[in-house]
Amino acid sequence: MIFSITYIVSAKIRASSSSHPLDALYKKLSPKIKLAEDSVILRRLALHLKGTIPSPAELGDFAASDPEARAINYSINYLRDPGFAEYWGMKFASLFRDKTKTRKAPTGAFYKYLADSLHSNKSYDVLVTEMINSQGTLAENPATGFYIRDNADPLQVAEYVGRLFYAKRVGCARCHDHPFIKDFTRRDYYAVAAFFSQQFVQDWSFDADKFKGQDVAYVPRELEEHLPTADLKNLQDKNNEWYRENWNKWSEEERKSYQKKHELKYVTLYTQPKLGLRFPHTDDAPGGDLVRPKFLDGTEPKLKPGDDRRKVFSSWLTDKKNDRFRKVIINRIWTELMGWSFFTPLDDWNADTKLQGEEILNHLDQVFVKQEYRIKDLILYIVSSDAYARSYPVPNDPDPEDSVRYFASQRLNPDQLLNSLIKASNTLSLSGIWERKIIPLDDLGNLESIDLSGMGTVRTPKDQPKDIATAIEVERPAPYHSFLAVFGSGSRTDIDDDFSEITIEQVLTLLNGRVTGKIIWDFGGNDSFPKKKFDETKSMAKTMDHIYFTLLGRHIYKLEQDILIKKLTKPDNVYDREILQDLSWAILNSQEFLHVN
């Protein structure tokens, strides 16, 4: 038995509020926005903030709560829930191309660092500074995952830092002067990379104290050429002396013992202040010199011998004068929540870029500074606005493709989809916990001081899990044969490389794949929520309504109910598991379930 489910519009609209400063600016850009139903807003919040649909208990509690306070209360609760840090930690991990499993490193260490940082509401500038200035091992200092991903290659790091934090694509200048950025030369590219030339990664056997107490810049042999000439000669002389007096005199067993003694348990990021980056020799340009560092905006720092150039770079990058650093991450967060961007591509803000809603971007930048760069505070500020709560287009609406005026329906991403399917098969419950109404903005439109520090423990990816309770527990990059990979979880070879294109394989996987099959097969069993609802009501009609409420966040419409009642082959007071299985299959394959609306 097959059912088809489509969008049906209700006229019940959420009450409006005009006190949010963001809304005043948004209505300049799009004055005719309408607000969606509150139940739609709750589902949107749950999917955006926790990566899953709300539970039936949340839906019921929300419906019974104060209409003026429930959206903000649930936003705060979701932001403090470990599920927020788990879901957004995975988004940041995709941005930074994290791989759950790395040779000689704890499983999921870098992801856990990112998720825990979000859970504690760590300031974004602090997070970035910690990563850029990191050293040591992933076990001791998981922020090093930012570099270990690329073996600390200064050229690779420079390219990703430019795109991630400054929205400037410098990669084309690796081999020649940049064809699209005026006056950005190949030497400028190497000048940016020079900030990251003092570090290197080792993962086998390395005696960092080999020349301890001596004025020797000790680095692996492949990096010796990037030392100043005098230091290079000194190191080579010391190495030759050490081999003459030690290695060459040792037996094979003594050599193995030395290597074993200095074998690294974990891959380790070291720094050497005297290391630089030599400009390559070419036929058409002079080279061989150590490049002087230069910031992404073309200015040069004043450096002293021995300075950690990464610290100089991170100080410049996160300085309050550098609004571009903030606006790049604001644009990413805004795009995720609102469905449109201030500029695109998200990693390329160049001289030809046309900004949309620049006044709003500037306003959010001011808010972000006032909130001391806290991601959760920025998200709360955005989702507490009417602009976020705007409705999706319905039949006969003018300009339905206008994503500024309407909330464009977003297809569930791989994590949202798998989490929601898991929730549909075994929903969790949450009881109401609020005693007071929260007013998020004061009379001047400033965000009140609300503690958004997380509660509870963040889950992390597991090593070859047999059973999972959330998509977060699946390693990344997701295995090729997994549900997440089928639905677009990326290979983590590039920044945020998940894809959203619909494929035939995805359609077939939802129709008759193992995940859907398992859910449908178990649906309606003795311990399931439909069976419990039927035992409580002794009504198939009420049970089917509860399924709609659970999976779609709304009650069944009369037209849908009339169709389903006609399909019943047994009396209303007789439990029919088969029809409930068919109904759940139809809903899980419907466009309404598969989208954020």
Side-chain angles (χ1 to χ4, degrees), residues 55 69 74 90 120 128 139 222 225 281 316 377 408 449 494 569 581:
S55 70
Y74 265 88
M90 194 57 73
S120 65
V128 172
E222 65 270 16
E225 65 174 302
H281 290 278
W316 166 82
D377 293 59
S449 179
D494 199 5
T569 59
Q581 290 175 321

Side-chain angles (χ1 to χ4, degrees), residues 10-81:
S10 171
K12 186 178 180 182
I13 300 298
R14 192 175 76 92
S16 175
S17 169
S18 59
S19 60
H20 203 303
L22 176 59
D23 291 327
L25 296 175
Y26 202 91
K27 288 174 182 176
K28 288 183 182 179
L29 195 65
S30 184
K32 296 182 179 180
I33 63 170
K34 297 184 296 183
L35 303 184
E37 303 170 19
D38 274 358
S39 60
V40 172
I41 302 306
L42 177 64
R43 191 174 191 271
R44 189 181 297 174
L45 283 169
L47 286 165
H48 275 163
L49 302 190
K50 292 179 61 180
T52 186
I53 58 174
S55 70
E58 290 172 333
L59 290 161
D61 179 76
F62 185 85
S65 299
D66 180 356
E68 294 185 13
R70 56 194 179 191
I72 188 67
N73 277 329
Y74 265 88
S75 298
I76 292 169
N77 186 65
Y78 285 162
L79 287 165
R80 299 189 71 187
D81 190 276

Side-chain angles (χ1 to χ4, degrees), residues 534-579:
F534 179 81
D535 291 342
E536 173 192 333
T537 62
K538 300 301 180 184
S539 169
M540 282 293 292
K542 291 180 180 178
T543 300
M544 290 188 290
D545 175 67
H546 189 60
I547 292 174
Y548 270 79
F549 189 61
T550 299
L551 301 184
L552 299 178
R554 64 168 175 84
H555 290 287
I556 192 170
Y557 297 130
K558 187 177 186 305
L559 176 60
E560 295 166 325
Q561 186 178 51
D562 291 344
I563 294 173
L564 288 171
I565 293 298
K566 292 179 182 178
K567 299 291 182 181
L568 291 175
T569 59
K570 301 176 183 178
D572 182 62
N573 62 352
V574 176
Y575 189 67
D576 188 342
R577 183 180 179 185
E578 183 178 346
I579 195 171

Side-chain angles (χ1 to χ4, degrees), residues 159-198:
E159 291 184 20
Y160 282 112
V161 163
R163 293 171 59 194
L164 281 168
F165 304 130
Y166 206 69
K168 188 170 185 176
R169 295 181 178 178
V170 301
C172 284
R174 180 181 284 215
C175 302
H176 47 72
D177 292 351
H178 206 293
F180 306 119
I181 303 177
K182 185 179 179 181
D183 299 329
F184 192 86
T185 66
R186 189 184 185 203
R187 183 167 285 273
D188 290 329
Y189 171 90
Y190 274 81
V192 175
F195 281 108
F196 309 103
S197 62
Q198 294 170 305

